[in-house]
């Protein structure tokens, strides 16, 4: 870095009028010109377009495709089971589930723990993303 | 800063009116950043949209360790650079040797630049010929009025490098302007 040039740039930038000569004149004109922004503008409805895309993205995230398939699949299973029971001589007997009722506490605890661990895992992942939020930028 | 925090909080909670305000406040900054990096005009607006979509997505992770405008400028710069990389644009730096500087000054300026009587327009076209890092530093410093630490954060470079780029870019442009002024005097 040429120290004289560096000093000249700094002094012209500060508006020091005592500097003259071709270099100083060129820097003055240059700095005035550099403050002008590039020729570019976004369209008048730019914000609307961005918001539309953002909303569309959110809706896509929220549409639980897998959940819909799960519900549809479960419904189809129940329907086919009922059809099968109706057209066969199978007698439905729920007494086989009775022993499970003795362990209702354990089953409930298991379900609660599954939900709790699922949430803890999601929070840990979010914290990892927060540590380096720009990793995927 | 308090207003910034309130605005960010509203955007995160899903307030699209607040997001519109945020876009309006920063669209010029993003447009200038993208325009300096990406030369094809048709690609710029879509890239600007992508920047704000990324801002919307990552805003919940913004921890106010810098100004919001600096953080958004960082996203804009990285998106623009990634766009160039996808198009396999090369990043060229001008060597520091005096001969290379002289070559830039002596290089025949394209007709559409030489004919430019308006100094502002002449300088604008010269800046477009500089490497992307030089153009970015000039825009952030002179147009957006950012400080050295803010520019360092946006471009992820040390302060010494930023100061060097700024000095070299201005020096090179000054030589061209001096030559242009000399040409005008002769005419």
């Amino acid at each position: 870095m040429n120290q004289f040039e560096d000093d000249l740039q700094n002094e012209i930038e500060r508006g020091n009028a005592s500097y003259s000569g071709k270099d100083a004149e060129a820097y003055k004109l240059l700095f005035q010109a550099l403050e002008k922004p590039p020729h570019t503008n976004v369209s008048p409805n730019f914000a609307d377009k961005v918001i539309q895309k953002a909303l569309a993205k959110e809706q896509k995230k929220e549409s639980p495709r897998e959940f819909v398939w799960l519900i549809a699949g479960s419904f189809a299973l129940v329907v086919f089971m009922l059809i099968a029971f109706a057209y066969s001589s199978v007698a439905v007997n729920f007494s086989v589930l009775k022993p499970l009722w003795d362990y209702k506490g354990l089953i409930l605890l298991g379900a609660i723990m599954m939900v709790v661990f699922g949430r803890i895992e999601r929070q840990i992942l979010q914290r990892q993303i927060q540590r380096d939020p720009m990793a995927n930028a | 800063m308090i207003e910034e925090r309130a605005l960010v909080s509203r955007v995160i909670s899903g307030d699209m009116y607040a997001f519109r305000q945020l876009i309006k406040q920063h669209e010029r900054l993003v447009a200038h950043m993208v325009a300096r990096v990406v030369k094809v005009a048709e690609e710029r607006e879509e890239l600007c949209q992508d920047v704000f979509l990324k801002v919307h997505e990552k805003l919940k992770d913004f921890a106010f360790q810098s100004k919001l405008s600096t953080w958004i400028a960082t996203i804009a710069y990285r998106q623009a650079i990634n766009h160039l990389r996808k198009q396999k644009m090369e990043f060229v730096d001008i060597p520091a040797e005096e001969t290379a500087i002289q070559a830039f000054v002596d290089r025949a300026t394209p007709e559409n630049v030489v004919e430019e009587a308006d100094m502002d327009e002449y300088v604008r076209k010269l800046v477009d010929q500089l490497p992307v890092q030089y153009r970015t530093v000039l825009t952030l410093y002179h147009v957006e009025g950012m400080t050295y630490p803010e520019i360092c954060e946006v471009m992820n470079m040390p302060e010494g490098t930023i100061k060097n780029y700024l000095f070299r870019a201005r020096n090179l442009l000054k030589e061209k302007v001096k030559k242009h002024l000399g040409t005008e005097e002769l005419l």
Side-chain angles (χ1 to χ4, degrees):
Chain A
M1 197 183 285
N2 184 324
Q3 195 56 50
F4 170 75
E5 284 289 338
D6 191 38
D7 291 342
L8 181 60
Q9 285 185 17
N10 291 334
E11 291 304 316
I12 299 296
E13 205 173 4
R14 278 189 209 115
N16 192 333
S18 63
Y19 282 78
S20 60
K22 286 188 178 166
D23 284 332
E25 194 54 40
Y27 272 128
K28 282 176 195 164
L29 290 170
L30 176 65
F31 288 171
Q32 277 170 14
L34 285 174
E35 285 176 8
K36 304 286 184 331
H39 281 314
T40 191
N41 267 317
V42 293
S43 56
N45 59 343
F46 175 76
D48 291 330
K49 287 181 197 170
V50 175
I51 287 170
Q52 268 177 16
K53 282 191 175 180
L55 285 170
K57 225 177 165 183
E58 278 189 354
Q59 276 169 4
K60 209 175 174 182
K61 245 195 284 180
E62 284 168 8
S63 83
R65 208 179 292 169
E66 290 84 17
F67 183 71
V68 168
W69 279 111
L70 177 68
I71 297 297
S74 304
F75 180 74
L77 178 68
V78 167
V79 165
F80 285 123
M81 269 175 66
L82 290 172
I83 293 172
F85 292 149
Y87 281 98
S88 68
S89 56
V90 172
V92 180
N93 188 354
F94 288 106
S95 61
V96 68
L97 298 172
K98 221 174 169 182
L100 286 176
W101 188 249
D102 297 330
Y103 298 97
K104 56 185 178 296
L106 191 64
I107 292 166
L108 186 64
L109 179 67
I112 291 170
M113 284 181 74
M114 275 172 62
V115 169
V116 167
F117 281 127
R119 287 192 169 231
I120 291 172
E121 189 187 48
R122 192 190 278 186
Q123 280 181 8
I124 291 170
L125 281 172
Q126 275 179 355
R127 270 188 214 132
Q128 280 178 350
I129 290 165
Q130 271 176 10
R131 264 184 229 131
D132 190 10
M134 301 303 293
N136 294 320
Chain B
M1 194 60 132
I2 297 169
E3 285 175 9
E4 241 176 39
R5 283 182 186 267
L7 183 66
V8 167
S9 175
R10 282 167 55 203
V11 175
I12 291 170
S13 66
D15 185 348
M16 282 300 170
Y17 180 73
F19 185 42
R20 182 188 295 273
Q21 267 185 287
L22 186 143
I23 294 170
K24 286 290 181 193
Q25 282 176 11
H26 298 97
E27 64 184 11
R28 275 177 45 131
L29 166 66
V30 170
H32 293 164
M33 288 288 306
V34 168
R36 271 285 181 253
V37 176
V38 176
K39 289 187 178 178
V40 181
E42 292 79 23
E43 295 170 3
R44 288 176 189 159
E45 173 137 340
E46 190 162 338
L47 195 51
C48 289
Q49 289 177 17
D50 291 344
V51 168
F52 280 107
L53 288 173
K54 184 67 86 173
V55 166
H56 190 250
E57 186 189 324
K58 298 282 187 184
L59 200 57
K60 60 185 181 307
D61 303 322
F62 177 55
F64 290 95
Q65 288 168 344
S66 64
K67 282 162 64 175
L68 181 61
S69 55
T70 308
W71 186 74
I72 290 175
T74 307
I75 295 176
Y77 179 66
R78 290 189 192 188
Q79 289 279 100
I81 294 297
N82 287 343
H83 178 79
L84 290 185
R85 283 200 176 116
K86 279 179 196 166
Q87 297 186 335
K88 293 178 185 165
M89 297 282 198
E90 289 178 12
F91 298 102
V92 176
D93 195 4
I94 298 176
E97 302 92 357
E98 287 299 317
T99 46
I101 291 169
Q102 196 59 43
F104 177 79
V105 173
D106 290 341
R107 189 183 308 145
T109 314
E111 264 184 36
N112 65 334
V113 181
V114 168
E115 284 166 5
E116 196 55 66
D118 178 19
M119 181 55 68
D120 292 348
E121 203 50 41
Y122 177 69
V123 167
R124 195 178 275 133
K125 286 178 179 172
L126 281 180
V127 171
D128 284 342
Q129 292 175 24
L130 289 171
V132 64
Q133 299 93 323
Y134 286 56
R135 300 199 298 264
T136 306
V137 169
L138 288 170
T139 302
L140 290 174
Y141 188 83
H142 283 282
V143 179
E144 302 303 331
M146 284 193 181
T147 61
Y148 287 122
E150 287 171 340
I151 299 173
C152 293
E153 187 180 330
V154 171
M155 296 181 70
N156 195 26
M157 288 178 187
E159 191 165 317
T161 306
I162 297 298
K163 285 180 176 174
N164 203 20
Y165 279 171
L166 188 64
F167 168 78
R168 282 156 65 181
R170 299 196 303 190
N171 191 32
L172 289 166
L173 290 170
K174 181 265 294 183
E175 291 297 325
K176 281 284 193 183
V177 167
K178 220 168 86 174
K179 209 173 168 190
H180 184 70
L181 288 171
T183 312
E184 277 188 338
E185 279 173 16
L186 288 171
L187 291 173

